[in-house]
């Protein structure tokens, strides 16, 4: 979980929503920070597990009815990794 910033670039809400289209029942797992994207007007309901969230990204995900969880909570909820989607930022 400890990587250089080159190998763990942050993921914006827009990219996250695009990757999670038609996968709303699954948990997005990101080994990076999730950042807000002001160009995006509506955020879909998502369950996101990440190393960190910017303050505005967390507010927008929770306001849309989604949730932001930690890796500890993910281990309790899905110990085998079932119903999760592993994502990464741009290289």
């Amino acid at each position: 979980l400890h990587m250089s910033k080159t190998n763990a670039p942050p993921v914006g809400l827009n990219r996250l929503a695009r990757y999670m289209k038609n996968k709303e029942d699954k948990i997005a797992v990101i080994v990076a920070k999730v950042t807000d994207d002001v160009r995006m007007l509506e955020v879909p309901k998502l369950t996101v597990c990440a190393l960190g969230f910017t303050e505005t990204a967390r507010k927008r995900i929770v306001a849309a009815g989604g949730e932001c969880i930690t890796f500890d909570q993910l281990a309790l909820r899905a110990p085998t990794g079932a119903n999760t989607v592993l994502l990464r930022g741009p290289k």
Side-chain angles (χ1 to χ4, degrees):
L1 296 178
H2 181 71
M3 289 188 252
S4 65
K5 290 205 186 246
T6 306
N7 292 324
V11 178
L13 276 179
N14 194 16
R15 184 180 300 267
L16 178 61
R18 197 168 357 122
Y19 285 150
M20 293 301 289
K21 197 171 198 173
N22 301 324
K23 299 176 191 162
E24 286 82 12
D25 57 331
K26 297 185 185 269
I27 301 171
V29 181
I30 303 160
V31 186
K33 190 169 197 165
V34 177
T35 58
D36 188 21
D37 195 342
V38 294
R39 298 169 295 179
M40 193 171 178
L41 299 176
E42 291 184 19
V43 179
K45 181 181 176 184
L46 297 170
T47 303
V48 185
C49 172
L51 284 180
F53 298 89
T54 60
E55 191 176 321
T56 52
R58 184 183 298 272
K59 281 182 188 173
R60 290 185 71 187
I61 291 170
V62 171
E67 57 183 327
C68 304
I69 61 174
T70 62
F71 280 93
D72 294 337
Q73 294 167 324
L74 177 68
L76 294 173
R77 191 178 294 189
T80 60
N83 291 325
T84 60
V85 179
L86 186 60
L87 302 174
R88 72 172 194 176
K91 223 27 175 150

